[in-house]
Amino acid sequence: MSLNKKDIKKRIFGNELNYVKSVLEKGFRASTSNEMAKKLEDTFSKIFNVKHAISFTNGTSTMHAALEAWGIGVGDEVIVPPLTMSATSFAVLQSNATPIFADVDIETFQICPKSIESKITKKTKAIITVALFGSSPNMKTIKEIAEKYKLKILEDNAECYLGKFNNELIGTFGDCASFSFQNSKHLTSGEGGILITNDTEFADNVRKVQSMGYANV
C-alpha cells in the first residue's frame, strides 16, 4: 500500500482505521466484541511460538496479574531494576509485595545479574527484568540465577518487540513476558498490553485475575 503525504501525518489510517471502524460498527456486542483481541492473541502466540497470549487493558496490569497468579503477596520480595518506568515497581506494590532494587550495568543500563544475585534473600520470589530502550539484559545469566534459587522471571518488554539476545527472541527466556501497547511504545493501540507464556496452569490463573476467567475464544 502506497502512502500519501496526508496519511504519513496520521497515526491511524488504512487497514488500522478499517479495523477500528469494524469494531465500532459491531457495537461491542458480547458475541463479537472479542474478535480483534482474539486475533491479537493468536498472532502473538504464533510470532513468539508460545502456547498462550493474554491481552490486557495495559502493560502494568499484565505484570500485576502475573504476580497474583504466582501467589506473590505480603512478605514476599520481587527484584526489579531502578532504571525503568515506575509501573514495573507499581505492579509489585499492587500485589502487596516489596520491590527490591538491583543496580544496572554501567555499560548497558540493563539490570545487572551480579547485583540481582546480591539482593536475593529467603523472601525473594521473582525477578522482573526490563528490556530497556529496545535492548536486552543478559538473560542467559539471569535465567541461570533464577534456576539456581528457584525464582520466577517476568520479562517487562514494553520497549522491545522482536529484539533478540544470543539470537533468541526477547520474551522467551522467562516464565512469562509482558508487552505494552501504550501510545508511546513501538507498537501501539493507544493503550493495552499482552502477557505471553507456555505454562497452561499459570495462564488459566492469569485469566482469573484478568477477566474473571473469561477467555477470548
Side-chain angles (χ1 to χ4, degrees):
M1 180 180 68
S2 61
L3 301 180
N4 57 48
K5 290 183 179 180
K6 289 183 178 180
D7 285 339
I8 292 173
K9 294 180 180 180
K10 296 177 182 178
R11 190 79 184 261
I12 300 175
F13 58 90
N15 282 338
E16 292 179 351
L17 183 58
N18 290 333
Y19 293 150
V20 172
K21 289 179 178 178
S22 175
V23 172
L24 294 175
E25 286 171 358
K26 291 176 181 177
F28 301 99
R29 292 185 294 274
S31 61
T32 59
S33 61
N34 64 356
E35 176 187 356
M36 292 301 177
K38 180 65 165 57
K39 287 183 177 180
L40 174 68
E41 293 179 351
D42 289 346
T43 301
F44 255 76
S45 293
K46 183 177 180 180
I47 289 174
F48 286 90
N49 193 29
V50 294
K51 295 178 181 177
H52 307 281
I54 307 167
S55 54
F56 279 79
T57 56
N58 57 57
T60 306
S61 57
T62 50
M63 295 186 286
H64 180 200
L67 296 175
E68 293 283 357
W70 282 328
I72 293 174
V74 177
D76 296 330
E77 295 177 351
V78 178
I79 296 175
V80 300
L83 183 59
T84 180
M85 198 273 185
S86 56
T88 309
S89 297
F90 282 171
V92 180
L93 294 171
Q94 288 165 349
S95 301
N96 293 311
T98 303
I100 302 296
F101 295 100
D103 208 344
V104 296
D105 187 311
I106 195 171
E107 298 293 332
T108 66
F109 299 108
Q110 308 293 329
I111 191 169
C112 174
K114 289 183 178 179
S115 185
I116 288 174
E117 190 161 21
S118 73
K119 301 294 182 178
I120 294 173
T121 70
K122 292 181 180 179
K123 297 180 180 180
T124 308
K125 302 299 181 184
I127 303 165
I128 301 181
T129 61
V130 176
L132 195 64
F133 308 131
S135 187
S136 170
N138 185 337
M139 293 306 301
K140 179 179 181 294
T141 302
I142 293 172
K143 189 172 182 177
E144 290 172 352
I145 292 171
E147 290 174 349
K148 177 181 177 181
Y149 294 95
K150 294 181 172 57
L151 304 176
K152 299 292 187 182
I153 296 178
L154 195 175
E155 295 183 59
D156 178 356
N157 299 332
E159 293 187 352
C160 188
Y161 287 88
L162 302 181
K164 293 184 177 181
F165 178 80
N166 285 356
N167 209 34
E168 294 183 45
L169 277 174
I170 302 303
T172 60
F173 289 89
D175 296 276
C176 65
S178 165
F179 297 86
S180 171
F181 304 130
Q182 188 262 350
N183 61 15
S184 69
K185 301 303 186 292
H186 302 78
L187 179 64
T188 180
S189 57
E191 188 53 278
I194 199 165
L195 191 75
I196 62 173
T197 184
N198 274 316
D199 187 331
T200 299
E201 182 180 359
F202 169 72
D204 288 343
N205 288 333
V206 166
R207 287 198 183 278
K208 292 175 183 176
V209 179
Q210 175 236 26
S211 58
M212 299 183 295
Y214 289 113
N216 285 322
V217 294

